[in-house]
Amino acid sequence: MLPDIEKLLELQAADKEIRRLQDEVASLPKRVAVIEQKLAGTKAQLERARTAAKSDEANRKKFEANIKDLQGKISKYRDQSLDVKTNEQYKALLHEIQFAEQEVRLNEDRILEVMVSVDAREKEVKAAEAELKAETTEIEQEKEDARKVTAEDQKKLAEWNGKRDALRREIPEDILRQYERVAKFRGTGLAEVRDQKCMGCQVKLRPQTYNEVRNGEKVMICESCSRVYYFNPANEVKPEQEVVTVTGRKRARPKTDAPQAWFYRPDYGEEGEVLLAFTNSGGNSTRRIYEMHTGRQVGGVLLREGSYRLAFPEDLTDSALRLNGHWDEKDIDEWGSEIPSNALDLLHKDILAIQREHRAGHKDHSAARAEQPAAS
Ligand SMILES: [Zn+2]
């Protein structure tokens, strides 16, 4: 890999870490603000409960004063009743007394209501006070944590900014400008090239461009997304899996004694076209069947005693075409119910290569036959 590209990758890592730290620093006050808002809500609730308790108290006093007044009136009416001259006057006073007594009872009922309410209010105030206390502790803790994390983040930010500045000084200005301009608009300024594709925009590279990127002779830029290309051989399809040369005429021959064998069958009962994978292991063999076009597994894994040629004779008919392809059985297990597209592509290409060979073989024969009469 070109040293400039290596530095750009480091720069990208630094940029990413700086962004993460900045986001974290920005998010901390927001978290504190959320708790502070909750705290304000609890404070308001407590205030309301206290005001309600006060008005209950005032009401109770009012009802008590009412009763006192009424009792004063009653005793006054009683005194007056001793001096009345007529029966009518006596009846009128008695009526007044009865009315006042009724009012006293009403006020007593109100006081009882208030007392019940006071109990509920007291509980409400106590709960709000406890909540306020807990939230105050929580916010103090949160603020303390935020202060600590922010201080640590600021320190890390200073370090990363230093690293970033140093890297920027080491990268040629035009490359740096390209990287930073694209990163600003697209989020990333670098794109990996994998399986002949730009992983930034998924556009396929022309073979020549692809080779140039692989060879890593110069810094190259994606024509479609403007990101700077990099190539990581570790992420590329492994050479032993790269069994088919797309442009080459000759197709690689699979080994007959390989512990794993892939076959194509165009006529597999109801399934039609399928891929068969056999693996020999420890005196046994397994068989997996996949739908040819989609790569979806049909049925489960079948295990039989003996190597696959002996164990699965009914599958290896004359129409079965032996394909190139080998993957660890562990990997195949990890595929789950579907062959991944890169593996499926390789198998499909091999089928095409076989068909091409067959056609070429027929053409050669017919050409040879056609030439004979002319030669004689
Ligand atoms: Zn691209």
Side-chain angles (χ1 to χ4, degrees):
M1 198 182 280
L2 284 168
D4 285 346
I5 299 291
E6 269 172 27
K7 284 193 193 104
L8 274 180
L9 279 167
E10 280 180 55
L11 179 61
Q12 179 167 267
D15 283 342
K16 206 174 146 195
E17 186 58 16
I18 287 168
R19 242 192 331 267
R20 189 190 70 76
L21 289 166
Q22 282 169 339
D23 287 350
E24 190 169 79
V25 168
S27 75
L28 291 169
K30 279 183 207 146
R31 229 162 69 195
V32 173
V34 168
I35 307 172
E36 256 168 0
Q37 210 175 356
K38 213 167 93 186
L39 193 72
T42 310
K43 270 184 189 158
Q45 204 185 336
L46 180 60
E47 216 39 60
R48 274 197 302 278
R50 279 180 177 153
T51 310
K54 261 185 206 160
S55 90
D56 277 349
E57 182 59 24
N59 281 338
R60 193 173 63 93
K61 280 192 177 141
K62 192 179 81 189
F63 299 139
E64 279 171 356
N66 287 350
I67 291 173
K68 218 175 166 191
D69 282 353
L70 289 163
Q71 278 165 344
K73 274 186 193 164
I74 292 168
S75 78
K76 198 178 80 191
Y77 294 145
R78 288 229 167 94
D79 287 347
Q80 284 172 0
S81 71
L82 297 174
D83 300 329
V84 291
K85 303 281 185 286
T86 67
N87 208 21
E88 255 78 54
Q89 278 177 320
Y90 183 75
K91 266 187 185 164
L93 278 171
L94 203 61
H95 185 257
E96 289 293 338
I97 289 168
Q98 277 168 347
F99 181 75
E101 277 172 347
Q102 200 184 337
E103 283 291 291
V104 167
R105 280 194 295 276
L106 270 175
N107 277 285
E108 280 170 349
D109 285 351
R110 294 260 168 79
I111 288 171
L112 271 177
E113 277 167 26
V114 168
M115 303 280 265
V116 172
S117 158
V118 162
D119 278 354
R121 297 276 182 230
E122 264 172 18
K123 273 182 198 148
E124 220 175 292
V125 169
K126 274 199 184 117
E129 277 170 348
E131 204 179 320
L132 193 66
K133 203 178 155 197
E135 280 172 7
T136 309
T137 314
E138 191 190 351
I139 200 164
E140 285 314 317
Q141 186 61 49
E142 195 70 30
K143 276 181 178 167
E144 182 54 32
D145 288 351
R147 263 195 294 275
K148 264 191 214 154
V149 175
T150 306
E152 276 166 31
D153 282 357
Q154 299 287 16
K155 209 176 115 198
K156 283 187 215 159
L157 264 174
E159 285 168 16
W160 276 106
N161 277 320
K163 274 187 217 173
R164 181 173 171 270
D165 290 346
L167 282 165
R168 289 180 83 249
R169 277 194 295 275
E170 288 173 34
I171 299 167
E173 205 177 315
D174 52 339
I175 299 172
L176 184 65
R177 211 182 309 129
Q178 177 73 19
Y179 163 82
E180 291 192 329
R181 200 164 51 90
V182 181
K184 192 175 156 195
F185 288 107
R186 295 192 186 272
T188 51
L190 282 164
E192 186 181 356
V193 169
R194 201 191 293 177
D195 301 336
Q196 222 176 317
K197 260 192 323 197
C198 168
M199 299 314 279
C201 65
Q202 302 298 320
V203 163
K204 206 161 165 117
L205 276 67
R206 276 179 281 130
Q208 197 199 336
T209 318
Y210 177 58
N211 286 336
E212 283 173 339
V213 176
R214 273 179 77 132
N215 293 338
E217 282 158 18
K218 59 176 183 190
V219 173
M220 296 184 66
I221 285 154
C222 178
E223 281 176 15
S224 91
C225 72
S226 303
R227 290 184 179 92
V228 178
Y229 281 146
Y230 72 93
F231 179 78
N232 185 353
N235 291 340
E236 196 66 350
V237 178
K238 289 187 191 111
E240 69 261 28
Q241 290 176 14
E242 216 172 5
V243 285
V244 189
T245 42
V246 184
T247 48
R249 294 226 177 94
K250 278 252 169 85
R251 176 181 164 265
R253 298 277 161 216
K255 283 187 198 144
T256 43
D257 58 346
Q260 188 179 93
W262 285 77
F263 287 89
Y264 164 65
R265 279 271 311 264
D267 53 358
Y268 201 79
E270 279 179 18
E271 314 299 338
E273 291 181 285
V274 297
L275 297 164
L276 299 163
F278 297 100
T279 308
N280 291 336
S281 160
N284 294 320
S285 53
T286 57
R287 183 195 69 188
R288 290 171 173 81
I289 308 171
Y290 300 93
E291 216 263 310
M292 199 276 278
H293 294 282
T294 58
R296 265 187 225 116
Q297 193 167 2
V298 181
V301 181
L302 188 60
L303 178 94
R304 281 185 186 166
E305 211 175 295
S307 68
Y308 74 87
R309 284 197 180 276
L310 298 171
F312 297 96
E314 75 274 24
D315 289 333
L316 304 170
T317 57
D318 286 344
S319 65
L321 295 179
R322 175 74 196 275
L323 301 175
N324 280 298
H326 178 88
W327 291 269
D328 276 350
E329 194 155 31
K330 190 167 62 73
D331 291 339
I332 293 178
D333 280 338
E334 277 171 15
W335 291 350
S337 60
E338 208 170 301
I339 303 177
S341 57
N342 55 348
L344 192 62
D345 277 354
L346 289 174
L347 294 163
H348 284 172
K349 277 177 192 163
D350 205 30
I351 296 171
L352 286 175
I354 293 172
Q355 288 167 344
R356 215 171 21 236
E357 269 185 2
H358 282 195
R359 274 199 303 275
H362 289 308
K363 224 185 281 164
D364 286 349
H365 290 307
S366 53
R369 273 197 303 274
E371 269 167 22
Q372 271 168 355
S376 61

